[in-house]
Amino acid sequence: MDVVVLPTAADVAAHAADVVAERIAAEPATVLGVATGSSPVGIYRELARRRREEGLDLSRLECFALDEYTGLAREDPHSYAAYLQREVADPFGLPSARVHVPDGTREDRERAAQEYEQSIAAAGGIDLQILGIGTNGHIGFNEPLSSLSSRTRVLALSAQTRSDNARFFDAPDDVPTHCLTQGLGTILEARQLLLVAQGERKAEAVAAAVEGPVAARCPASVLQFHRRTTLVLDEAAASRLTLGEYERPGRRA
Ligand code: F6R
């Protein structure tokens, strides 16, 4: 894994946006996997700024969400479909049909999961997948003990994830209990992975993912199997790493 450590969360967003912009420069019709939650927001806003102010062309992107809650209507502002409309489709100037999200409202959720896998395959697979990491080491909503080769499926959210995500809802009980999420095997098929993490509360999960054994207790550790993974961290998120001399661009010796 390439691990890049930067002083602040703003530096993380700018550096990660550079990685995405490089990919888009090489292939304007990039298939981009988009995480939700707070971690990638700075990347999306920086890309949108570059589009507005520097003419970065985002018009040919095709985007795929990592996950979605079940039982929330697309229009519900807490749904990831609504998040991606606000943070990606609108500011990138993309029609909603080009931002795919698993359909968490379908009665047959397993079928919805299979169809989502098929739609990723039909787009030619994901070129660059943006990821965040949960405090328990999840990526997507693949909670600890997920199969390391899992596919898109319905999962129950752990108590820790529901409590971590309660900040986005009016009341803790409003956090849905289940989700549809790309599996770890699905994520590993993306041609390039870019994980961003900011803040001390992610430090333990980051250390387990980067320096721990590959193990289902820390799903993000499966990224060690991927040949093209970059982690962009702020100093706080990197604070429990102990093994390596990680890359710290711009730091004076
Ligand atoms: C969201 C997702 C999750 C989040 C993780 C971190 O699509 O897949 O893995 O990336 O829960 O959430 P934040 O960024 O809100 O701390």
Side-chain angles (χ1 to χ4, degrees):
M1 294 190 196
D2 290 332
V3 179
V4 180
V5 183
L6 294 156
T8 68
D11 299 320
V12 168
H15 186 91
D18 285 346
V19 174
V20 179
E22 249 170 58
R23 185 85 198 194
I24 294 169
E27 174 46 271
T30 287
V31 180
L32 188 65
V34 282
T36 53
S38 52
S39 306
V41 167
I43 308 178
Y44 302 142
R45 296 194 178 160
E46 175 59 14
L47 289 169
R49 186 196 67 74
R50 293 183 196 187
R51 171 176 180 259
R52 276 193 321 273
E53 295 175 12
E54 299 167 14
L56 176 67
D57 182 12
L58 302 173
S59 68
R60 295 183 59 200
L61 290 179
E62 177 112 32
C63 298
F64 284 88
L66 263 179
D67 41 23
E68 175 62 290
Y69 293 114
T70 59
L72 295 187
R74 266 190 88 84
E75 303 71 38
D76 186 315
H78 302 102
S79 75
Y80 285 162
Y83 169 109
L84 289 169
Q85 186 67 41
R86 279 192 309 270
E87 297 291 345
V88 171
D90 291 340
F92 288 13
L94 291 171
S96 341
R98 294 264 289 288
V99 181
H100 307 261
V101 184
D103 186 351
T105 64
R106 289 260 297 275
E107 204 161 308
D108 189 346
R109 294 167 182 174
E110 289 302 341
R111 182 97 203 104
Q114 280 167 17
E115 286 178 12
Y116 196 63
E117 288 271 336
Q118 286 159 4
S119 62
I120 293 173
I126 290 172
D127 293 311
L128 172 57
Q129 175 67 57
I130 297 172
L131 297 165
I133 184 169
T135 56
N136 63 0
H138 73 208
I139 50 174
F141 274 139
N142 294 281
E143 302 286 29
L145 307 186
S146 289
S147 154
L148 299 183
S149 57
S150 47
R151 311 301 308 184
T152 303
R153 66 209 184 288
V154 184
L155 267 192
L157 296 173
S158 68
Q160 188 171 339
T161 297
R162 291 189 72 227
S163 138
D164 285 346
N165 286 6
R167 69 191 195 282
F168 298 116
F169 290 81
D170 298 332
D173 281 351
D174 291 351
V175 183
T177 55
H178 289 74
C179 66
L180 279 167
T181 181
Q182 284 190 37
L184 295 171
T186 319
I187 292 169
L188 284 181
E189 282 172 10
R191 287 180 268 279
Q192 184 179 355
L193 303 176
L194 173 64
L195 185 147
V196 288
Q198 307 91 345
E200 167 67 26
R201 68 191 187 97
K202 299 294 177 68
E204 205 173 310
V206 165
V210 176
E211 297 183 345
V214 175
R217 72 166 52 233
C218 178
S221 64
V222 79
L223 301 185
Q224 294 176 36
F225 281 128
H226 196 281
R227 274 181 284 187
R228 205 163 168 211
T229 298
T230 305
L231 271 72
V232 188
L233 312 170
D234 68 5
E235 287 285 358
S239 58
R240 305 259 172 100
L241 293 172
T242 57
L243 290 180
E245 279 298 312
Y246 296 102
E247 192 186 340
R248 287 178 158 81
R251 185 154 125 171
R252 296 208 185 126

